[in-house]
Amino acid sequence: MPESSPFQDPRPRESQPGSTRPGEAQPAGTQPAGTQPTVAQLAEDYAAKAGLHRTSNGNIDVLKSAGGVQGLAESILPGLVFLIAFTVSRELTPALVGALAVAAAFTVARLVQRKPLTQALAGIAGVGLSAWLANTTGKAEDFYVLGFFTNLGYIVAMSISIAVRWPIAGLLFGFIRNEGLHWRKDPARVKAYRIGTWVIITVLALRLLVQVPLYYMGEQGLAALATTRLLMGAPLYILGLWVAWLLTRPAAPAADAGHPVEPI
């Protein structure tokens, strides 16, 4: 995460929980002793941990939010190496070893660069579990099973967030836009963020609709499954995130005479 979080509480500093004195905000990530975090603080923490970033002009930085170039490589290359190695050798073991080696190399690279290890460790854990499943069953296509359950879990969680009127898109984008949780008081903003969440759900559902039938084709569908996994992974996620951002853009406030206001 960057040194200063882009997710700022839109309330006046003196009214923020934990302020040491008027005009002086509590340091980020700290809580007064014996107090429980508010819903707003939990939501801000969730948005920050989701790794979303914004550009200097206030728009979402989609590439950086997806992990940057290195993050994209970490998500794409292990699966690509697995596909190439299995296609060439037709042996499961070297393909699994190759994928694990790539994931391990990225983890070491982050250690050397002194970057946050969260994404790399999650990546190597995912590749390791996928390799274990494929090795246990002896089926190369089982290397991709974990992704199906991950997508399904996100679909369920996001659908629940819409049902309880806490759409995930609002929690993610609200703090980037300095809306905090105030958007929940505006039915139009709640509706917009529900639509944005449905966009992300659609991306996840499309992955399952396309990839699950290929999985059941066995090795005959492995190349197509691996290819669609790469294309519908980070690239499609970036597109879906950007579309959701655009669809949830608030209406531009009325401009003062001679001072047009740029929409967020």
Side-chain angles (χ1 to χ4, degrees):
M1 294 296 297
E3 293 181 4
S4 59
S5 172
F7 308 99
Q8 302 296 328
D9 195 325
R11 293 170 293 175
R13 293 172 64 94
E14 62 270 20
S15 66
Q16 294 178 16
S19 295
T20 55
R21 61 176 180 267
E24 180 176 290
Q26 186 79 5
T30 62
Q31 290 263 133
T35 63
Q36 295 295 323
T38 65
V39 174
Q41 289 167 332
L42 291 174
E44 180 177 2
D45 185 58
Y46 172 78
K49 288 181 178 179
L52 294 183
H53 301 272
R54 63 180 177 183
T55 60
S56 58
N57 63 2
N59 286 322
I60 188 172
D61 190 332
V62 182
L63 179 60
K64 191 173 182 180
S65 297
V69 175
Q70 183 172 338
L72 292 178
E74 290 172 356
S75 65
I76 292 174
L77 286 183
L80 181 60
V81 169
F82 173 83
L83 173 62
I84 295 173
F86 185 80
T87 301
V88 171
S89 66
R90 307 307 301 178
E91 295 288 338
L92 189 56
T93 299
L96 295 176
V97 170
L100 284 169
V102 172
F106 280 121
T107 302
V108 172
R110 281 187 174 265
L111 280 171
V112 173
Q113 298 166 349
R114 296 184 179 180
K115 291 185 176 181
L117 289 175
T118 305
Q119 184 171 358
L121 290 177
I124 194 171
V127 172
L129 183 55
S130 297
W132 176 80
L133 288 171
N135 188 61
T136 300
T137 63
K139 298 179 180 179
E141 60 269 25
D142 283 346
F143 183 78
Y144 299 100
V145 167
L146 181 62
F148 299 153
F149 288 101
T150 301
N151 276 270
L152 183 59
Y154 280 125
I155 289 173
V156 171
M158 291 187 180
S159 298
I160 292 174
S161 79
I162 291 174
V164 299
R165 297 182 61 82
W166 282 87
I168 292 294
L171 298 178
L172 294 178
F173 297 155
F175 283 94
I176 295 181
R177 289 179 167 135
N178 290 328
E179 291 180 294
L181 293 179
H182 296 290
W183 56 269
R184 296 199 70 249
K185 301 176 182 178
D186 184 349
R189 299 300 296 135
V190 173
K191 181 179 180 180
Y193 281 131
R194 289 176 67 184
I195 293 173
T197 304
W198 277 120
V199 169
I200 301 174
I201 290 175
T202 300
V203 168
L204 302 176
L206 280 174
R207 291 175 176 174
L208 295 179
L209 288 173
V210 172
Q211 295 170 17
V212 170
L214 295 174
Y215 166 79
Y216 281 109
M217 291 176 63
E219 281 196 20
Q220 292 181 344
L222 180 62
L225 173 59
T227 302
T228 55
R229 173 63 65 88
L230 295 176
L231 295 177
M232 302 183 76
L236 186 61
Y237 168 75
I238 289 175
L239 177 61
L241 197 65
W242 181 243
V243 171
W245 173 265
L246 294 179
L247 289 177
T248 58
R249 178 179 292 180
D256 293 332
H259 296 84
V261 179
E262 292 294 332
I264 298 177

